[in-house]
Structures are given as structure tokens and as C-alpha cells.
Amino acid sequence: MLVLFGRIVSLLAGTLVTHHPSIMETTKHAFLFFARQIPYQGQQPSALQQRAHCHPRHTDRSTNHIRQAVLGSLIGSYFLAAVAPAAAQLPVSADNVVITATRTAKSINDVLSQVSVITRLDIDETGALTLVDLLQRRANLDIRSTGGPGQTSSIFVRGSNATHTLVLIDGQRIASSTSGAAALENIPLDLIERIEIVRGPMSSLYGSEAIGGVIQIFTRKDNNHAADKNTKVTANFGLGSFSARHAQAGIEGNLGETRVLLTASRRTINAPSATNPLAGGLIFNPDRDAYENTSAAIKLTQQLWQGEMVSFSAWQSRGSTRFDSGPGNNAESTQTLRGVQLASDNNFTDWWRSRLTIGSTSDDSVVMSNFPGKFKTTQDQFAWQNRFATVAGDALLGFERRNEKVAATTNYTAKTRTTDSVFGSISQKVAEQTLTVSARHDKEDQFGSRSTGGVSWGYQLWKDELVYLSAGRAFRAPSFNDLYFPGFSNPLLRPEKSESGEFGWRLNRKAFQLNLALFENKIEDLIAFDSATSRPQNLRRARIRGWELGVDTNWAGIDWRTRITAQRPEDADTDKQLRSRAKLLGTVGGSANIGAWKLGSDLAMSGARFDSANEAPTSRMSGYALWSAFARYRIDPEWAVDITGNNLTNRKYELARGYNPLGRQLQITLRFSGK
């Protein structure tokens, strides 16, 4: 791992000079310090690494606007960093304590990775209709979607594949075992309390899929105030464009000594056709593609006399959407996602904390079209993790077992598999330095065993400034479709694997926060369809490198936020841009309180992409910028009215070639929250 760590220093130094020479001056002291600690043991760059990555540049007016906006935001961010007055370090609060990065509660100030947090307040104020839309606007993630709400959608974290991001709900995996992807389009925002997005390899803690990062969704929670026995009620009702209707209601209170939370919601929208003629005659259908979603959740929490906290939670989301499958074909897909979990949290001693969870998630899909089918995948999951305070540092040790089962109208060659895992980490802080090492071993009854690891080193330059270096290996196990789908599978496939590294610089002040990360990820044994054998094979390699910048500050009474990602997601063999991934992404937003009003606005931008693997000119999708705005009027402490607008300029753009995102959307929502 130290050899890999040394290589990362050299590779990232080159990336720094390539993208912004001034950044190298700002951060070179961190590299020099690191060089004195661990000697470089890497190899000379390969011919592939030395090759110039030159492509014909396609420019249009929208792309130029995006570049100008991003450049202006970048310059402004450095200006604000220079002039911001010295202030106390950002205080620790519930909003800046994260769990996903280390599998334990930890201040975001101390995490040696890039983490984004989206709160319930953020969700309400964006006015986003879908989870994918929210992740683009607040986490600056690349997305692909085959139409409006309910249509198949994908996200790309740091340019990796859609199946290279692990998605968890309350700590449990939810991706379909057949497709290998999570149905983000059918996870309603009404179920969500909080989202944490961790970028970078996380297989050393979570196992398969965590190549690009981890997205963890936390469902609605109760306040759990022991002294507060009052019953609380929340409700909202909204109307919007495209005949959109939305309603949600929730209640929480005490039933004896048990805290109870119940919530339910329903959303409908009569969206226009998901496709246009560019999709082709076998797919295009000009009819409307309506979507409806119904969701519900329950959570019970009980504090036992010996200090143990026991909780039970269950949730379900059922989405039904029309989709296009040729002229005159009223194709429809109904997907039901479910999760249930029993958890026990114990503080056995002052130095030993334990969490035990037993649960199950399922993805049940019924497709009615020219090619009908039923697919249900179930994942039974058990996890026991323990946190120890030791003389060697903060230690974590855990065990997991996951049983996957498939029931489908398609006759898969195999329908079950089991994965047993053991994982651990240790983190030690001495003076200004922090070192964290993590490792995991997964044993799966199809491909055998796989070990992964990660190491991070951080140095506290000043009270409010931190630099860090990290490196890790990750992998993704093939899905049931890859391995067992009749006639189009390959049971000899190997897991996809990656090696990546990152340099980060974090400045945390009370009224100003800056996060900068430079990263590189090399992925091998990528699974691709081989036309010669008509089966998937481990054929491809990818190399992704770039930088991310996040700035949050308060200026002129306005809370500003800026997120920029510049990346080169390329096929390592052809140097072609990876499908549906942009080289430049950015979001700029601000919000302010004015009397009883709260006003906010966001601008989400993306550069050009190709909806093909070979940069075919006919598959090129131009860059775009989408403007949204939000206004909330507080009638009294219990009642409020929200007015939101998305894509206010009615921008015509593409997220997939031949498919139509929604145009301008307006929405008004009446909210109640009281006792």
C-alpha cells in the first residue's frame, strides 16, 4: 500500500501542474512534508501515462457560458479565501457529523475524504422533483436519465460507472442483484431525512461497488428527545406543472416508553413523452408518460433499562411509470422497493461501542411491454460492528453476511449467492498528524475471495486548515445478469477492480469553508459486451483524473455555495471520453433570509457529453445550464408556503440521446409542522 501511496504523490503532482499551477504553490509544502515521511518507491510512468490526451474540441455558446461561470466562481473562491477574516474553526453540530466516511459518527472536520451532506432543509428548499435531480444540484454529480420522473436514471461519481457507486438506505444495500444498479428514480424525496455522499474508493469498509464512492440515504427520523413527550405532526400539499400533485403527512410521538414515527406520501405527474424521434422508430412513442409514487415508513425506538437502544424500521416505495417502447405500445413498469431492519446499539463500556443490525431489502419489478417480465431480488443482510478506544487509536472491527436471492420469469442459471465479510480500521492522531488504515476481506461463493485496503494521512497545518493524502483499492462483483442471464452472460467474469489516490486541502472557518481535492482512479477488468462472443468480457480499462472544489461562505448577508468538478474520464485504451460523462461540472447557489421570507437560487451546469463509447459525432450532447429558484414565506411558526421553479429559462437539453427531460416546472406547496 505504501508503494501505491508513493505513486499517488507523483501522479497528483502532475495533475496539479496541468490544471492550475498556482494550486501547486499553495500546497507544495504538504507534498514536501509527505515526501520526508515516506520515501517514493514507484516506477517510471508507462507509455500510456506519458501519452498526450488530445481530442478535437467541440465548443458552443452554452459550453462557453459554463466555462465563464465556472472560471468566475473559481476566481471568486480564491479571492474570498484571501480576504475572509480569521475566525474560529467550524463548530461541531448534528449537521456536520457524518457516519458514512468511517462507518462511525465523526466530525466532518476530521474526515480525510471529500464528503457532501444534504439535509431535509436542503431537500425542501431545492424544489427538486427527483433524487437524481437533487444529487446533481446539491452534490454536483454527473447524471443520465431517459426522460422525466420515474424513468431510468444513473449517477456517475468522479467519472466512474453508474454501478461503481454503492447506494445504502440506513446502512443496507438496495441495488438490484440482477442489473447491479440502484433504482434511484423510485426513491422518493419524502422518505429522506439526510443524504451523505463520500467520494473515492470505499471498498475497504463496504466491499463491492464502492469504486467511485458511497451514497447513504437516511430515512425520516424522530427527534428522539427523552424529555419531549409531545406528539408532533407534519403535513404538506403541493400543486405544480404537468398536473403534478403531491401530498405528505407524518406523525411522531410516544407510545408508552417507545418513540414512534409514521410517514406516508403520494406524488403524481402527467409528464410529456419521455422520447423524441432521435430515439428511433422502435422506441419513440409521442404519448404522455405519467408517473405516480406512493411511499410509507415506520420507525420505533426504545431505550432499554441497561442503556441499550433498540430500533425497528420499515419502509416501502412503489413507483409506476409509463415508458416508450414503440408506437401504440402502452408500456408500463411498476417497481416496489422495500426495506426492514432491526438494530441494537450498545455502550458496553467507556471504550467499547457495538451496533448489531439484521434486515432485508428487496427490489420487485413488473414490466408490461413488448418484452414483459418479472424480476425480484432480495438481500438479507446481517452486520455487527464494534468500535474500540485503544492505546493504538480509534479501532473498528466488523462482520457482515449478505444472502442474495433472485426470483424472475427469466430462468437464471444460478439464483442465490452468499458473501461473508470481515472489515476493520484504526485511526491514530498524534499532534498535528492523523493516520488511518482500513482493510476488508470478502468471500463470495461465485468468484472466491477479494481483499481491499485503504490508507489516509492528514496534517493539521493550522487550527482551521488540513491537508491529506489517501490511497485505496476497490472492486465491483459482477451482477447476476453479467454472470447468469440465459444466452448473454459469462460465469467466468472477474470482478472489476480499481486503484486510486487523492490529495485534499480543507479550510474550515466559521463563516468560510473551502474543500479542494485532486484525484486519480485507474479501473481495470471493466466488463463490456464482446460482439465476437456475444457475451460480456473483462475487456476494458479506464483512467479518470481531475479536481473538485467546494466553497461555502457568507457575503453581503447571503449564504453562497459553489461546487466545481473538472475531470478527464477516459477509456485507457482509446483515450475516448467515457459515455455520458462531462469533463466540466458546476453548481453555484445562494440563499438569504429577509423578514418572514427565505429566498434562494441555484445554477447547475454541465459540459458536453457523448452518449456513446466512441465519441460518435451523432451522439454528442451539448452542455447546458439550468436555473432554479426558491421562495418560502413563513405565515407563523407552524405554517409556511413554498414556491419553487426548476429550469426557469425552459432550457432544451439532453441527459440521454433521444430522451426528453422536463421543461420549465413551477410548484407551490403549503406546509404545516406543529404539535
Side-chain angles (χ1 to χ4, degrees):
M1 187 62 69
L2 292 181
V3 174
L4 174 62
F5 215 13
R7 292 178 186 171
I8 297 308
V9 176
S10 177
L11 292 171
L12 290 177
T15 305
L16 280 162
V17 175
T18 301
H19 286 291
H20 206 294
S22 65
I23 301 176
M24 187 63 182
E25 291 298 319
T26 306
T27 56
K28 67 180 181 181
H29 58 289
F31 281 115
L32 292 173
F33 182 88
F34 178 77
R36 291 194 294 268
Q37 306 301 314
I38 302 178
Y40 175 70
Q41 303 178 30
Q43 302 173 358
Q44 291 295 321
S46 65
L48 178 62
Q49 292 169 332
Q50 296 176 7
R51 187 183 307 163
H53 298 271
C54 300
H55 301 290
R57 292 192 177 270
H58 305 278
T59 61
D60 55 23
R61 182 172 299 177
S62 63
T63 303
N64 288 333
H65 287 332
I66 293 167
R67 288 174 178 166
Q68 292 168 11
V70 170
L71 181 59
S73 300
L74 183 60
I75 294 172
S77 299
Y78 279 106
F79 172 75
L80 288 170
V83 303
Q89 192 173 11
L90 184 70
V92 176
S93 67
D95 286 343
N96 59 32
V97 170
V98 295
I99 296 173
T100 311
T102 59
R103 294 191 69 139
T104 60
K106 196 167 188 178
S107 169
I108 199 170
N109 303 335
D110 300 325
V111 171
L112 303 181
S113 58
Q114 291 295 307
V115 183
S116 299
V117 176
I118 302 174
T119 66
R120 183 67 231 176
L121 182 61
D122 295 327
I123 296 171
D124 291 338
E125 293 183 355
T126 60
L129 294 179
T130 67
L131 174 58
V132 174
D133 182 30
L134 176 72
L135 291 172
Q136 179 194 35
R137 287 158 54 179
R138 284 303 170 98
N140 196 32
L141 298 184
D142 229 342
I143 67 173
R144 183 180 191 272
S145 185
T146 58
Q151 307 297 332
T152 303
S153 301
S154 304
I155 56 161
F156 309 99
V157 178
R158 285 189 172 174
S160 60
N161 286 350
T163 53
H164 290 166
T165 297
L166 176 63
V167 180
L168 306 171
I169 293 186
D170 293 335
Q172 297 192 109
R173 294 170 177 265
I174 62 162
S176 165
S177 297
T178 51
S179 70
L184 299 175
E185 64 275 8
N186 280 316
I187 301 175
L189 295 176
D190 291 308
L191 276 182
I192 301 173
E193 180 72 25
R194 175 185 174 92
I195 305 172
E196 295 179 1
I197 303 102
V198 183
R199 295 166 175 82
M202 296 293 292
S203 286
S204 60
L205 288 178
Y206 291 98
S208 177
E209 301 166 42
I211 290 177
V214 176
I215 296 176
Q216 179 156 203
I217 297 166
F218 297 90
T219 56
R220 293 273 198 162
K221 68 174 184 178
D222 58 71
N223 291 323
N224 198 32
H225 294 157
D228 188 354
K229 304 296 185 180
N230 293 316
T231 298
K232 298 179 177 61
V233 176
T234 60
N236 64 72
F237 175 76
L239 302 173
S241 305
F242 309 110
S243 302
R245 301 287 187 275
H246 165 242
Q248 180 270 336
I251 185 170
E252 64 173 277
N254 280 62
L255 188 63
E257 296 299 318
T258 303
R259 192 70 178 173
V260 181
L261 169 72
L262 296 171
T263 184
S265 70
R266 180 170 174 80
R267 181 185 293 270
T268 63
I269 183 169
N270 191 22
S273 175
T275 59
N276 58 57
L278 291 176
L282 296 178
I283 298 177
F284 174 57
N285 188 344
D287 66 337
R288 302 188 74 86
D289 292 313
Y291 174 68
E292 63 180 48
N293 180 278
T294 304
S295 67
I298 180 173
K299 187 168 292 186
L300 309 175
T301 307
Q302 174 71 57
Q303 179 83 45
L304 301 184
W305 64 271
Q306 71 270 36
E308 180 181 8
M309 180 71 75
V310 177
S311 62
F312 170 82
S313 62
W315 59 269
Q316 175 177 294
S317 171
R318 184 180 185 272
S320 180
T321 183
R322 295 290 183 92
F323 67 96
D324 291 340
S325 184
N329 182 10
N330 294 321
E332 184 173 357
S333 172
T334 300
Q335 187 171 40
T336 303
L337 306 176
R338 297 186 184 92
V340 61
Q341 183 182 79
L342 180 65
S344 169
D345 291 276
N346 255 307
N347 291 344
F348 290 117
T349 67
D350 293 339
W351 52 269
W352 179 12
R353 299 180 181 180
S354 173
R355 178 172 174 83
L356 179 69
T357 60
I358 302 172
S360 180
T361 60
S362 64
D363 182 328
D364 191 351
S365 297
V366 179
V367 178
M368 303 298 295
S369 69
N370 292 331
F371 302 97
K374 296 181 180 181
F375 301 86
K376 181 177 182 179
T377 66
T378 303
Q379 301 187 67
D380 298 325
Q381 303 169 62
F382 165 84
W384 184 31
Q385 71 176 48
N386 300 271
R387 184 179 181 182
F388 305 97
T390 72
V391 293
D394 190 9
L396 177 73
L397 179 64
F399 309 90
E400 288 183 342
R401 163 165 279 213
R402 179 163 56 109
N403 295 315
E404 299 175 79
K405 295 174 286 186
V406 174
T409 51
T410 299
N411 187 23
Y412 286 84
T413 306
K415 298 182 179 180
T416 63
R417 68 179 177 189
T418 300
T419 305
D420 291 309
S421 311
V422 58
F423 60 89
S425 69
I426 189 162
S427 180
Q428 178 65 283
K429 186 172 184 178
V430 179
E432 294 85 7
Q433 299 188 66
T434 301
L435 181 65
T436 301
V437 179
S438 57
R440 180 178 172 116
H441 182 77
D442 294 273
K443 184 177 181 182
E444 199 258 10
D445 54 15
Q446 193 279 326
F447 64 80
S449 298
R450 174 71 58 175
S451 296
T452 50
V455 57
S456 300
W457 168 86
Y459 187 77
Q460 197 80 37
L461 295 174
W462 290 278
K463 181 180 179 181
D464 54 8
E465 187 171 357
L466 172 75
V467 294
Y468 68 86
L469 286 159
S470 64
R473 291 191 171 99
F475 77 101
R476 175 207 170 235
S479 69
F480 275 76
N481 283 354
D482 295 329
L483 296 168
Y484 307 124
F485 195 92
F488 299 95
S489 59
N490 181 0
L492 301 179
L493 287 172
R494 301 182 302 277
E496 300 170 314
K497 58 186 180 182
S498 77
E499 238 181 44
S500 63
E502 177 179 335
F503 164 78
W505 173 42
R506 180 179 300 141
L507 184 63
N508 258 320
R509 295 180 177 177
K510 188 174 183 180
F512 182 87
Q513 297 86 49
L514 182 146
N515 280 277
L516 173 69
L518 297 103
F519 61 88
E520 179 160 19
N521 194 356
K522 295 194 296 183
I523 309 174
E524 297 182 351
D525 287 335
L526 280 169
I527 297 172
F529 188 77
D530 182 9
S531 57
T533 62
S534 297
R535 295 178 183 275
Q537 304 286 350
N538 295 102
L539 294 175
R540 299 177 57 202
R541 299 182 301 151
R543 183 185 182 190
I544 307 162
R545 52 181 174 167
W547 55 264
E548 300 164 332
L549 175 68
V551 177
D552 295 271
T553 189
N554 183 282
W555 181 63
I558 300 174
D559 292 322
W560 297 95
R561 55 187 174 273
T562 301
R563 304 287 183 269
I564 302 169
T565 299
Q567 60 185 11
R568 299 178 67 175
E570 297 171 337
D571 186 308
D573 298 312
T574 66
D575 291 348
K576 300 292 187 182
Q577 190 171 333
L578 294 178
R579 181 177 184 179
S580 298
R581 272 147 278 191
K583 292 183 178 181
L584 190 61
L585 302 166
T587 65
V588 179
S591 61
N593 292 296
I594 304 174
W597 289 88
K598 182 166 187 179
L599 307 176
S601 183
D602 286 288
L603 186 67
M605 301 163 284
S606 174
R609 295 134 294 129
F610 293 90
D611 205 8
S612 67
N614 58 359
E615 294 188 6
T618 56
S619 72
R620 183 176 181 273
M621 300 181 292
S622 298
Y624 60 86
L626 303 177
W627 177 41
S628 62
F630 160 84
R632 169 174 292 172
Y633 178 71
R634 177 65 65 180
I635 301 171
D636 60 31
E638 295 183 335
W639 291 91
V641 175
D642 293 352
I643 302 174
T644 57
N646 299 321
N647 191 9
L648 287 172
T649 60
N650 203 27
R651 169 77 189 203
K652 304 297 182 183
Y653 66 106
E654 293 178 293
L655 296 175
R657 194 67 168 165
Y659 294 88
N660 302 319
L662 290 181
R664 182 187 296 112
Q665 310 135 50
L666 301 175
Q667 183 171 279
I668 182 168
T669 304
L670 178 65
R671 299 185 182 278
F672 172 81
S673 178
K675 299 179 181 179

